[in-house]
Amino acid sequence: MDLDDDKRAKRRKTQTEDDDDDHHHHQPQPTAMETLPNEIIVDILSRLPITSLVQFKFVCKRWRALTQDPVLADMHLSWKADGNDPCLILHCDFPIRNQLYFLDLSAHNQDKDKVKRLYVPFQATMPEFDVVGSCNGLLCLSDSLYNDALYVHNPFTMDCIELPKSRQYSDQELVFGFGFHPKTKEYKVVKIVYYRNTSSYSRARRTVYPQSDVQIYTLGSSSWRSLGKVSYQFVRRPSEALVNGRLHWVSRPRRYHPARRLISFDLADEQFREVPKPDCGGLNRCNFHLSVLGGCLAAAVYGNYGKLEIWVMKSYNVNESWVKQFTIGAYMPKCLKLNLDRHRPLKIWKTGSNGKVVRVLCSLNSGEVLLEYKNRVLVSYDPKKGKFRDLVFQGLPNWFQAVVHTGSLNWLNTLH
């Protein structure tokens, strides 16, 4: 009996040792990537396109945690800003429910010829929206139906927050801005409210809003702040250029001050200032828009016969540094030669480029300039050769407004 017990004990011991060996052999071995120091992994990942990083977070828990590391987000942004072509967010309001699409212009992106539709998490509560602005991978969007909802959204991390409600007026007109200041490291939303008393009556062709209220929201704070009145009347469209931590708008002409002005708002000290205009003689009319080219403030001035002059301020806020970089001749993309404007969505028709054919988006690594024609076609222009090239992308919506964007892993909870 004792011998049988000894045999059974030996068999159990041998079986246990075998099980331990099997468990040891079946444990997943760390990959070569996982054996690298964390700082090297972060450096490697920071050089990847945003579409690869989004897929990367599904590999394992450790890699998902890495994609939420603010250090990786900052390094990725710095690489994107250093000589890389941007991507575009295409805002489409046709059909009725608004959609966002994504197009990566980076040369190393395998899907650079494909337009991808983005998920909009707040679409059920805000089906109609306007893009206020894009900054460091974050989009700010406003409700275009009721004017009361504002969201900040990263379309790649799916991170999204609704901003607190601010003061509303019964009869108002809104001008927005969204940006980041590199010194304060703060993101701010600027909401300029022009309003009037409902009892007032005006016989003017355009409704006049004599009173104003500048409202500021800092991302991570609990409420809006009021800065009081603003002495400028801005064209009703979001800030078109963020340069040196300053948002920029164009003022409307007034009866006793017909000249249009370029006005900046410093996101650090929260002051409005006038910026020198280029000496082109054309900024007193409704024939120009602002953009950013090579990190500099730029003005695209419409001339006669469909020509477009591109002026660039080489040294910020220095009047003498305005240079006419080049002139773009008249051009009409092939697919626009047919008169298809009758199919244009009403909102884009009203809020597009004020009837102008072309809008300057950004400059590319190749030295070419990216243009948008009639909210329908993307065209690259080579200023050295004076040649145009229609860009064809699979899945491009019929009507859109393009927003220059930098895809990033910025997580909103790290900004609070």
Short mmCIF file of all heavy atoms in Angstrom, two decimals, residues 36-83:
data_model
loop_
_atom_site.label_atom_id
_atom_site.label_comp_id
_atom_site.label_asym_id
_atom_site.label_seq_id
_atom_site.Cartn_x
_atom_site.Cartn_y
_atom_site.Cartn_z
N LEU A 36 12.73 47.29 -26.29
CA LEU A 36 13.43 48.57 -26.42
C LEU A 36 13.07 49.48 -25.25
O LEU A 36 11.96 49.40 -24.71
CB LEU A 36 13.05 49.25 -27.74
CG LEU A 36 13.51 48.56 -29.03
CD1 LEU A 36 12.92 49.27 -30.24
CD2 LEU A 36 15.03 48.56 -29.12
N PRO A 37 13.94 50.39 -24.89
CA PRO A 37 13.62 51.39 -23.88
C PRO A 37 12.42 52.24 -24.32
O PRO A 37 12.23 52.48 -25.52
CB PRO A 37 14.89 52.24 -23.78
CG PRO A 37 15.97 51.36 -24.30
CD PRO A 37 15.35 50.49 -25.33
N ASN A 38 11.65 52.71 -23.36
CA ASN A 38 10.41 53.43 -23.65
C ASN A 38 10.65 54.68 -24.49
O ASN A 38 9.89 54.98 -25.42
CB ASN A 38 9.73 53.82 -22.33
CG ASN A 38 8.25 54.08 -22.53
OD1 ASN A 38 7.50 53.18 -22.85
ND2 ASN A 38 7.84 55.33 -22.34
N GLU A 39 11.74 55.43 -24.20
CA GLU A 39 11.99 56.66 -24.93
C GLU A 39 12.30 56.41 -26.40
O GLU A 39 11.97 57.22 -27.28
CB GLU A 39 13.13 57.47 -24.28
CG GLU A 39 14.47 56.75 -24.19
CD GLU A 39 14.63 55.98 -22.88
OE1 GLU A 39 13.59 55.73 -22.21
OE2 GLU A 39 15.78 55.67 -22.53
N ILE A 40 12.92 55.25 -26.71
CA ILE A 40 13.21 54.91 -28.11
C ILE A 40 11.92 54.54 -28.83
O ILE A 40 11.70 54.92 -29.98
CB ILE A 40 14.24 53.76 -28.19
CG1 ILE A 40 15.59 54.24 -27.64
CG2 ILE A 40 14.39 53.26 -29.62
CD1 ILE A 40 16.68 53.19 -27.68
N ILE A 41 11.05 53.78 -28.14
CA ILE A 41 9.76 53.42 -28.73
C ILE A 41 8.96 54.68 -29.06
O ILE A 41 8.39 54.81 -30.15
CB ILE A 41 8.97 52.50 -27.78
CG1 ILE A 41 9.70 51.17 -27.58
CG2 ILE A 41 7.56 52.27 -28.31
CD1 ILE A 41 9.03 50.24 -26.60
N VAL A 42 8.93 55.62 -28.12
CA VAL A 42 8.18 56.86 -28.33
C VAL A 42 8.76 57.63 -29.51
O VAL A 42 8.01 58.18 -30.34
CB VAL A 42 8.20 57.72 -27.04
CG1 VAL A 42 7.67 59.12 -27.33
CG2 VAL A 42 7.39 57.07 -25.95
N ASP A 43 10.07 57.67 -29.64
CA ASP A 43 10.70 58.38 -30.74
C ASP A 43 10.34 57.75 -32.08
O ASP A 43 10.07 58.45 -33.07
CB ASP A 43 12.22 58.39 -30.55
CG ASP A 43 12.92 59.20 -31.63
OD1 ASP A 43 12.71 60.42 -31.68
OD2 ASP A 43 13.66 58.60 -32.44
N ILE A 44 10.33 56.42 -32.13
CA ILE A 44 9.96 55.71 -33.37
C ILE A 44 8.51 56.00 -33.74
O ILE A 44 8.18 56.34 -34.88
CB ILE A 44 10.18 54.19 -33.22
CG1 ILE A 44 11.68 53.89 -33.07
CG2 ILE A 44 9.61 53.44 -34.41
CD1 ILE A 44 11.97 52.45 -32.71
N LEU A 45 7.62 55.88 -32.75
CA LEU A 45 6.20 56.07 -33.02
C LEU A 45 5.87 57.50 -33.43
O LEU A 45 4.95 57.73 -34.22
CB LEU A 45 5.38 55.70 -31.77
CG LEU A 45 5.46 54.24 -31.31
CD1 LEU A 45 4.60 54.02 -30.09
CD2 LEU A 45 5.03 53.31 -32.43
N SER A 46 6.63 58.45 -32.90
CA SER A 46 6.33 59.85 -33.19
C SER A 46 6.51 60.19 -34.67
O SER A 46 6.02 61.22 -35.14
CB SER A 46 7.21 60.77 -32.34
OG SER A 46 8.57 60.66 -32.71
N ARG A 47 7.22 59.34 -35.42
CA ARG A 47 7.48 59.61 -36.83
C ARG A 47 6.46 58.95 -37.76
O ARG A 47 6.55 59.10 -38.98
CB ARG A 47 8.89 59.12 -37.20
CG ARG A 47 9.98 59.76 -36.34
CD ARG A 47 11.29 59.01 -36.44
NE ARG A 47 12.24 59.44 -35.42
CZ ARG A 47 13.26 60.25 -35.64
NH1 ARG A 47 13.47 60.72 -36.85
NH2 ARG A 47 14.08 60.59 -34.66
N LEU A 48 5.52 58.21 -37.19
CA LEU A 48 4.52 57.50 -38.00
C LEU A 48 3.36 58.42 -38.34
O LEU A 48 3.05 59.37 -37.60
CB LEU A 48 3.98 56.29 -37.24
CG LEU A 48 4.98 55.18 -36.91
CD1 LEU A 48 4.29 54.09 -36.10
CD2 LEU A 48 5.57 54.59 -38.19
N PRO A 49 2.67 58.18 -39.46
CA PRO A 49 1.46 58.95 -39.78
C PRO A 49 0.36 58.64 -38.77
O PRO A 49 0.35 57.58 -38.14
CB PRO A 49 1.08 58.47 -41.19
CG PRO A 49 1.76 57.15 -41.34
CD PRO A 49 3.00 57.21 -40.51
N ILE A 50 -0.55 59.57 -38.61
CA ILE A 50 -1.59 59.44 -37.59
C ILE A 50 -2.46 58.20 -37.83
O ILE A 50 -2.90 57.55 -36.88
CB ILE A 50 -2.47 60.72 -37.54
CG1 ILE A 50 -3.47 60.65 -36.39
CG2 ILE A 50 -3.17 60.96 -38.86
CD1 ILE A 50 -2.85 60.60 -35.03
N THR A 51 -2.67 57.84 -39.09
CA THR A 51 -3.50 56.67 -39.38
C THR A 51 -2.87 55.39 -38.86
O THR A 51 -3.55 54.47 -38.41
CB THR A 51 -3.74 56.56 -40.90
OG1 THR A 51 -2.48 56.73 -41.59
CG2 THR A 51 -4.70 57.62 -41.38
N SER A 52 -1.52 55.31 -38.89
CA SER A 52 -0.83 54.13 -38.34
C SER A 52 -0.91 54.12 -36.82
O SER A 52 -1.09 53.06 -36.21
CB SER A 52 0.64 54.13 -38.79
OG SER A 52 0.75 54.09 -40.19
N LEU A 53 -0.78 55.28 -36.20
CA LEU A 53 -0.84 55.35 -34.74
C LEU A 53 -2.21 54.96 -34.21
O LEU A 53 -2.33 54.35 -33.15
CB LEU A 53 -0.48 56.76 -34.27
CG LEU A 53 1.01 57.12 -34.32
CD1 LEU A 53 1.21 58.57 -33.93
CD2 LEU A 53 1.82 56.22 -33.40
N VAL A 54 -3.25 55.32 -34.94
CA VAL A 54 -4.60 54.96 -34.51
C VAL A 54 -4.76 53.44 -34.50
O VAL A 54 -5.37 52.87 -33.59
CB VAL A 54 -5.64 55.62 -35.43
CG1 VAL A 54 -7.03 55.07 -35.16
CG2 VAL A 54 -5.64 57.13 -35.22
N GLN A 55 -4.22 52.75 -35.50
CA GLN A 55 -4.28 51.29 -35.54
C GLN A 55 -3.37 50.67 -34.49
O GLN A 55 -3.67 49.62 -33.93
CB GLN A 55 -3.88 50.79 -36.93
CG GLN A 55 -4.81 51.24 -38.03
CD GLN A 55 -4.28 50.92 -39.42
OE1 GLN A 55 -3.12 50.57 -39.58
NE2 GLN A 55 -5.14 51.06 -40.42
N PHE A 56 -2.27 51.33 -34.20
CA PHE A 56 -1.27 50.84 -33.26
C PHE A 56 -1.85 50.61 -31.87
O PHE A 56 -1.47 49.68 -31.16
CB PHE A 56 -0.14 51.89 -33.21
CG PHE A 56 0.97 51.58 -32.25
CD1 PHE A 56 2.06 50.83 -32.64
CD2 PHE A 56 0.94 52.07 -30.95
CE1 PHE A 56 3.10 50.58 -31.76
CE2 PHE A 56 1.97 51.81 -30.07
CZ PHE A 56 3.05 51.06 -30.47
N LYS A 57 -2.80 51.43 -31.46
CA LYS A 57 -3.32 51.35 -30.09
C LYS A 57 -4.15 50.09 -29.86
O LYS A 57 -4.46 49.76 -28.71
CB LYS A 57 -4.14 52.59 -29.75
CG LYS A 57 -5.46 52.70 -30.49
CD LYS A 57 -6.19 53.97 -30.08
CE LYS A 57 -7.55 54.07 -30.76
NZ LYS A 57 -8.26 55.29 -30.35
N PHE A 58 -4.51 49.37 -30.93
CA PHE A 58 -5.32 48.16 -30.77
C PHE A 58 -4.47 46.90 -30.60
O PHE A 58 -5.01 45.81 -30.46
CB PHE A 58 -6.25 47.99 -31.98
CG PHE A 58 -7.28 49.08 -32.10
CD1 PHE A 58 -7.20 50.01 -33.11
CD2 PHE A 58 -8.32 49.18 -31.18
CE1 PHE A 58 -8.14 51.02 -33.24
CE2 PHE A 58 -9.26 50.19 -31.29
CZ PHE A 58 -9.17 51.11 -32.32
N VAL A 59 -3.15 47.04 -30.63
CA VAL A 59 -2.27 45.87 -30.57
C VAL A 59 -2.31 45.22 -29.19
O VAL A 59 -2.53 44.02 -29.03
CB VAL A 59 -0.83 46.25 -30.96
CG1 VAL A 59 0.11 45.07 -30.76
CG2 VAL A 59 -0.77 46.75 -32.40
N CYS A 60 -2.07 46.02 -28.14
CA CYS A 60 -2.08 45.49 -26.78
C CYS A 60 -2.27 46.65 -25.80
O CYS A 60 -2.23 47.82 -26.20
CB CYS A 60 -0.79 44.73 -26.47
SG CYS A 60 0.70 45.77 -26.51
N LYS A 61 -2.45 46.31 -24.52
CA LYS A 61 -2.72 47.33 -23.51
C LYS A 61 -1.55 48.30 -23.37
O LYS A 61 -1.74 49.50 -23.20
CB LYS A 61 -3.02 46.67 -22.16
CG LYS A 61 -4.37 45.98 -22.11
CD LYS A 61 -4.64 45.42 -20.72
CE LYS A 61 -6.02 44.76 -20.66
NZ LYS A 61 -6.28 44.19 -19.32
N ARG A 62 -0.31 47.76 -23.43
CA ARG A 62 0.84 48.63 -23.25
C ARG A 62 0.94 49.64 -24.39
O ARG A 62 1.24 50.81 -24.17
CB ARG A 62 2.12 47.79 -23.18
CG ARG A 62 3.35 48.66 -22.86
CD ARG A 62 4.65 47.94 -23.12
NE ARG A 62 5.77 48.85 -22.94
CZ ARG A 62 6.99 48.61 -23.37
NH1 ARG A 62 7.24 47.49 -24.02
NH2 ARG A 62 7.95 49.48 -23.18
N TRP A 63 0.68 49.19 -25.61
CA TRP A 63 0.78 50.09 -26.75
C TRP A 63 -0.37 51.10 -26.74
O TRP A 63 -0.20 52.23 -27.17
CB TRP A 63 0.79 49.28 -28.05
CG TRP A 63 2.06 48.50 -28.25
CD1 TRP A 63 2.99 48.19 -27.29
CD2 TRP A 63 2.53 47.93 -29.46
NE1 TRP A 63 4.01 47.47 -27.83
CE2 TRP A 63 3.77 47.29 -29.17
CE3 TRP A 63 2.07 47.90 -30.76
CZ2 TRP A 63 4.51 46.64 -30.13
CZ3 TRP A 63 2.80 47.24 -31.74
CH2 TRP A 63 4.01 46.62 -31.43
N ARG A 64 -1.52 50.65 -26.26
CA ARG A 64 -2.64 51.60 -26.13
C ARG A 64 -2.30 52.69 -25.11
O ARG A 64 -2.60 53.87 -25.32
CB ARG A 64 -3.91 50.86 -25.69
CG ARG A 64 -5.13 51.77 -25.58
CD ARG A 64 -6.37 51.02 -25.18
NE ARG A 64 -7.51 51.90 -25.11
CZ ARG A 64 -8.27 52.24 -26.13
NH1 ARG A 64 -7.99 51.78 -27.34
NH2 ARG A 64 -9.29 53.06 -25.99
N ALA A 65 -1.65 52.30 -24.01
CA ALA A 65 -1.25 53.28 -23.00
C ALA A 65 -0.24 54.27 -23.59
O ALA A 65 -0.26 55.46 -23.27
CB ALA A 65 -0.66 52.58 -21.79
N LEU A 66 0.64 53.76 -24.47
CA LEU A 66 1.62 54.64 -25.09
C LEU A 66 0.96 55.72 -25.94
O LEU A 66 1.41 56.87 -25.98
CB LEU A 66 2.58 53.82 -25.97
CG LEU A 66 3.81 53.22 -25.29
CD1 LEU A 66 4.55 52.31 -26.25
CD2 LEU A 66 4.73 54.32 -24.79
N THR A 67 -0.12 55.36 -26.65
CA THR A 67 -0.80 56.33 -27.51
C THR A 67 -1.46 57.43 -26.69
O THR A 67 -1.83 58.47 -27.24
CB THR A 67 -1.86 55.65 -28.40
OG1 THR A 67 -2.88 55.05 -27.57
CG2 THR A 67 -1.23 54.59 -29.29
N GLN A 68 -1.65 57.20 -25.39
CA GLN A 68 -2.23 58.22 -24.53
C GLN A 68 -1.17 59.00 -23.76
O GLN A 68 -1.50 59.82 -22.90
CB GLN A 68 -3.22 57.56 -23.55
CG GLN A 68 -4.37 56.88 -24.25
CD GLN A 68 -5.31 56.18 -23.27
OE1 GLN A 68 -5.02 56.09 -22.09
NE2 GLN A 68 -6.43 55.71 -23.78
N ASP A 69 0.08 58.79 -24.09
CA ASP A 69 1.18 59.47 -23.43
C ASP A 69 1.33 60.87 -24.03
O ASP A 69 1.55 61.02 -25.23
CB ASP A 69 2.48 58.68 -23.64
CG ASP A 69 3.65 59.24 -22.84
OD1 ASP A 69 3.55 60.39 -22.37
OD2 ASP A 69 4.65 58.52 -22.68
N PRO A 70 1.21 61.95 -23.21
CA PRO A 70 1.35 63.32 -23.74
C PRO A 70 2.70 63.58 -24.40
O PRO A 70 2.80 64.39 -25.32
CB PRO A 70 1.17 64.20 -22.49
CG PRO A 70 0.46 63.35 -21.49
CD PRO A 70 0.90 61.95 -21.77
N VAL A 71 3.75 62.87 -23.95
CA VAL A 71 5.08 63.04 -24.55
C VAL A 71 5.05 62.60 -26.01
O VAL A 71 5.60 63.27 -26.90
CB VAL A 71 6.14 62.26 -23.77
CG1 VAL A 71 7.50 62.35 -24.46
CG2 VAL A 71 6.23 62.77 -22.33
N LEU A 72 4.39 61.47 -26.29
CA LEU A 72 4.27 60.99 -27.67
C LEU A 72 3.47 61.98 -28.51
O LEU A 72 3.83 62.28 -29.65
CB LEU A 72 3.62 59.61 -27.70
CG LEU A 72 3.32 59.04 -29.09
CD1 LEU A 72 4.59 58.93 -29.92
CD2 LEU A 72 2.64 57.68 -28.98
N ALA A 73 2.37 62.49 -27.95
CA ALA A 73 1.54 63.46 -28.68
C ALA A 73 2.34 64.70 -29.05
O ALA A 73 2.27 65.19 -30.19
CB ALA A 73 0.32 63.84 -27.85
N ASP A 74 3.14 65.21 -28.11
CA ASP A 74 3.94 66.40 -28.37
C ASP A 74 5.02 66.13 -29.42
O ASP A 74 5.24 66.96 -30.33
CB ASP A 74 4.59 66.90 -27.08
CG ASP A 74 3.58 67.48 -26.11
OD1 ASP A 74 2.45 67.80 -26.55
OD2 ASP A 74 3.90 67.59 -24.91
N MET A 75 5.71 64.98 -29.31
CA MET A 75 6.75 64.65 -30.28
C MET A 75 6.17 64.44 -31.67
O MET A 75 6.75 64.86 -32.67
CB MET A 75 7.52 63.41 -29.83
CG MET A 75 8.45 63.63 -28.65
SD MET A 75 9.45 62.17 -28.26
CE MET A 75 10.50 62.07 -29.72
N HIS A 76 5.01 63.80 -31.74
CA HIS A 76 4.36 63.56 -33.03
C HIS A 76 3.98 64.88 -33.69
O HIS A 76 4.18 65.06 -34.91
CB HIS A 76 3.12 62.68 -32.82
CG HIS A 76 2.45 62.30 -34.10
ND1 HIS A 76 1.30 62.90 -34.54
CD2 HIS A 76 2.79 61.39 -35.06
CE1 HIS A 76 0.94 62.37 -35.70
NE2 HIS A 76 1.83 61.45 -36.04
N LEU A 77 3.48 65.82 -32.90
CA LEU A 77 3.12 67.13 -33.44
C LEU A 77 4.35 67.86 -33.96
O LEU A 77 4.31 68.52 -35.01
CB LEU A 77 2.44 67.97 -32.36
CG LEU A 77 0.92 67.87 -32.28
CD1 LEU A 77 0.40 68.69 -31.11
CD2 LEU A 77 0.26 68.32 -33.57
N SER A 78 5.46 67.78 -33.23
CA SER A 78 6.67 68.49 -33.65
C SER A 78 7.22 67.92 -34.95
O SER A 78 7.71 68.65 -35.80
CB SER A 78 7.74 68.42 -32.55
OG SER A 78 8.18 67.09 -32.35
N TRP A 79 7.11 66.59 -35.13
CA TRP A 79 7.55 65.98 -36.38
C TRP A 79 6.64 66.40 -37.54
O TRP A 79 7.11 66.66 -38.65
CB TRP A 79 7.55 64.46 -36.27
CG TRP A 79 8.83 63.91 -35.72
CD1 TRP A 79 9.04 63.37 -34.48
CD2 TRP A 79 10.10 63.85 -36.37
NE1 TRP A 79 10.34 62.98 -34.32
CE2 TRP A 79 11.03 63.27 -35.48
CE3 TRP A 79 10.55 64.23 -37.63
CZ2 TRP A 79 12.36 63.06 -35.79
CZ3 TRP A 79 11.88 64.03 -37.96
CH2 TRP A 79 12.76 63.44 -37.04
N LYS A 80 5.33 66.46 -37.27
CA LYS A 80 4.39 66.86 -38.33
C LYS A 80 4.62 68.30 -38.75
O LYS A 80 4.47 68.66 -39.92
CB LYS A 80 2.95 66.69 -37.84
CG LYS A 80 2.51 65.25 -37.64
CD LYS A 80 2.46 64.48 -38.95
CE LYS A 80 1.33 64.92 -39.84
NZ LYS A 80 1.23 64.12 -41.08
N ALA A 81 4.99 69.14 -37.77
CA ALA A 81 5.19 70.56 -38.08
C ALA A 81 6.51 70.81 -38.79
O ALA A 81 6.69 71.85 -39.44
CB ALA A 81 5.14 71.38 -36.79
N ASP A 82 7.42 69.86 -38.70
CA ASP A 82 8.76 70.05 -39.25
C ASP A 82 8.87 69.44 -40.64
O ASP A 82 9.39 68.34 -40.84
CB ASP A 82 9.80 69.43 -38.31
CG ASP A 82 11.23 69.73 -38.74
OD1 ASP A 82 11.42 70.70 -39.50
OD2 ASP A 82 12.14 68.99 -38.31
N GLY A 83 8.36 70.18 -41.62
CA GLY A 83 8.57 69.77 -43.01
C GLY A 83 7.71 68.62 -43.48
O GLY A 83 8.11 67.88 -44.37
#
